[in-house]
Structures are given as C-alpha cells and as structure tokens.
Amino acid sequence: MKLFFNLFGLAAAGYLGYMAEPSLRFQLTGHQPSASENARDKTVILELPGQVPQIDLSSLTPEQLPQKVLLKTDVKVTDAASGTTLLMQAGNRVKLVRIEGGNAVVSPGEGPFSGLTPVTETDLFQQLAASPPTPKTTPEAPPAAETPVPVVPATGDSEEPAKAAEPPPVPEPAPEATPAPEPAASTAAKSMDIPDASPAPGAAAASAGSDELIAAMQTSIKAGQIKEFTFEQVQEWKAEANETVDGETYQTGLASYQAETIFGTKTIQAKALVKGGKVQRWIWPKSGMEIK
C-alpha cells in the first residue's frame, strides 16, 4: 500500500510540474515562456453566430481546415533530421498542417520543416468565420440485398413435365493468326544480343553543359555568393534537369556538403538555379526557400 501511494505521489508531482512549468520557469530562471509554450495545453473553442454546438478546433480534420493561413508574427521552423532552422516572416501565407492544443502546426510547404505558433497569431478564425467547417457525415449503409424467393412449380396429373432447357450453342474458336516472319537482319541481331551502339541524340551536348553548370556552381561558392557553406565543405557536385521557377527556366545543380548539426555531422544538399552561365540564386531543394 505504501508503494502505491509513493507511485501516485510521483505521478501527481510530474503532472503538476508539467502543467506549471511555463509559469515557474520565469521564477526559477528569469526567462519568460514563449507564446507557443503558453498555448500548448489550451483548448480553443470556435463559436460562430447562429451555430450550435461550439467547435473544438483540435477536433477538426485537415479536410475541415483551410489549407493555408496568414502569419501575424515571425515563426521559426526546423528540420528535425538536419537540425536546420528557418525563419518565416509575418505576412506570409504558409501551409496549415494541423491544430495542437492552442497552437497551429505550420510549414513553408511540402518538406521536413515545421513549427508552432498560437492560432490567435494567424487569420484562422477569420477564415473559419467566412467559411464555417462542414460537419463530418457518416456514410449510410447500403440497403441489404433482398433474398430471392424460390418458385416451386405446381405438380398435377394434367400438366406436362417441363422440358429441359437446351444448352446454348458453343461458338467455334477463331483460327489463330500466324505471326509474320521477322526480317533476317533483326532476327540475327536479336539472337546475338547486339546492343545499339549509336549514341543518344544530344548526349555530348548534355555532358558539355553539365561541365559548364558545375563550373558556374563552383565559381559562385568560391566568390562567397552565399554564407551557408564554403567550397571546402562540398563533397559532391551534380547536374540536374532544367526547372521552371516563377515563370523562368533555369539549369539546376546540386551541391552536397557536410555540416555540423545538433545530431552530429550531416550531409545537406543545396540547389543552384543557373541562367546565362551564372548562378542566379541558391535554394533549399525541398522547401524552395532561398539560401542567404
């Protein structure tokens, strides 16, 4: 019994410490908890005029929430795998992933970066007021199939026995088509498994273009166009396919470099957008955000 009370006391103390941690932090360390920490355990209720009952925001599914929200304050987003942190500035429309307590989980787009901000620091309420979420509907069960009632023919001395139904005629199989003989030259080449030695059109031009693309990427890093990494950190240079970004078509390439993160040494990739033989800008491959 004494062991039970000890375990109960430890659990209660842990729960109270978790709930009171934001308010106690300032008293113990002098650091105020962030807005997202204050909102993490809050329940936000949406009350729309003329609509009953009230709606708990955390109960809404992604289909009932708007796809994007407008930020009213700066938000830091982090890639948990690499430890890289980016800053999304106020005034940007970002992807709304889900609701956690009183916070909105947001992301700059499709990618590993995500962060927390209070729902009150977005335009979520205004969007839901303008377009209330549709209630979730339970699909109706399909009607049960009726069981056919067997019909038993009446029997009697005056009735003739029913004639057995004749089987339908079996169609005769169509004659098989005889394949046309292959040309002699093609058959010989197939039997000897001789590969086509002719080069693909434009192969030499693609190789030369790749060398010029990589040279432009190396020149950009040596010149210090960005400060995220140096020429010595790069482990691999690689040419990629052309891409259209903001209506402009660029040659693209990847630079794989090593960097020290909170998870140890990681290999990170940066994408170069090249036009006219020069790197116009560097971006993160997944999020598309510019690297400074």
Side-chain angles (χ1 to χ4, degrees):
M1 181 64 70
K2 183 177 181 180
L3 176 61
F4 170 78
F5 282 111
N6 290 338
L7 292 176
F8 178 78
L10 288 175
Y15 175 76
L16 291 175
Y18 174 79
M19 297 298 294
E21 186 270 339
S23 60
L24 290 177
R25 183 186 305 177
F26 178 72
Q27 300 177 18
L28 297 176
T29 65
H31 295 288
Q32 289 282 9
S34 64
S36 59
E37 289 174 329
N38 284 330
R40 65 184 179 186
D41 298 313
K42 291 184 178 179
T43 300
V44 180
I45 301 298
L46 177 65
E47 183 176 358
L48 298 177
Q51 181 170 334
V52 178
Q54 299 173 345
I55 301 173
D56 181 359
L57 283 187
S58 60
S59 67
L60 296 179
T61 63
E63 292 76 15
Q64 294 174 294
L65 292 170
Q67 295 183 352
K68 292 188 176 183
V69 292
L70 179 69
L71 296 180
K72 298 181 180 179
T73 184
D74 296 347
V75 179
K76 288 184 179 180
V77 291
T78 305
D79 179 1
S82 65
T84 305
T85 300
L86 302 176
L87 180 66
M88 298 191 303
Q89 296 180 341
N92 285 323
R93 286 204 169 272
V94 296
K95 179 181 178 182
L96 175 59
V97 181
R98 62 182 179 276
I99 302 298
E100 289 185 358
N103 288 317
V105 181
V106 294
S107 173
E110 299 297 334
F113 289 89
S114 64
L116 293 175
T117 186
V119 292
T120 54
E121 297 298 333
T122 70
D123 69 338
L124 178 60
F125 289 120
Q126 291 85 340
Q127 292 196 56
L128 292 178
S131 179
T134 56
K136 292 181 288 186
T137 58
T138 304
E140 296 182 0
E146 296 182 359
T147 305
V149 179
V151 179
V152 181
T155 58
D157 296 338
S158 61
E159 293 184 357
E160 296 182 359
K163 296 183 180 180
E166 297 183 0
V170 179
E172 297 182 0
E176 297 182 358
T178 304
E182 298 182 359
S186 174
T187 305
K190 185 181 296 183
S191 62
M192 295 175 66
D193 292 334
I194 300 177
D196 187 4
S198 59
S207 175
S210 300
D211 294 340
E212 294 176 359
L213 174 64
I214 292 175
M217 294 165 62
Q218 294 175 345
T219 300
S220 170
I221 298 302
K222 289 179 180 179
Q225 186 175 349
I226 58 174
K227 306 300 182 184
E228 182 68 23
F229 58 91
T230 62
F231 181 81
E232 290 72 17
Q233 290 178 259
V234 181
Q235 304 293 314
E236 182 183 8
W237 307 90
K238 185 179 179 182
E240 294 287 308
N242 292 355
E243 292 185 14
T244 300
V245 179
D246 297 333
E248 294 286 339
T249 302
Y250 299 92
Q251 292 178 286
T252 65
L254 291 178
S256 301
Y257 66 94
Q258 286 191 341
E260 292 293 334
T261 69
I262 59 175
F263 301 100
T265 303
K266 296 289 184 179
T267 300
I268 304 174
Q269 290 185 329
K271 179 182 287 188
L273 302 181
V274 181
K275 191 170 186 179
K278 293 183 179 181
V279 176
Q280 303 300 318
R281 53 178 166 158
W282 290 85
I283 62 173
W284 297 111
K286 293 184 178 179
S287 66
M289 299 187 70
E290 187 173 358
I291 303 174
K292 301 296 184 180

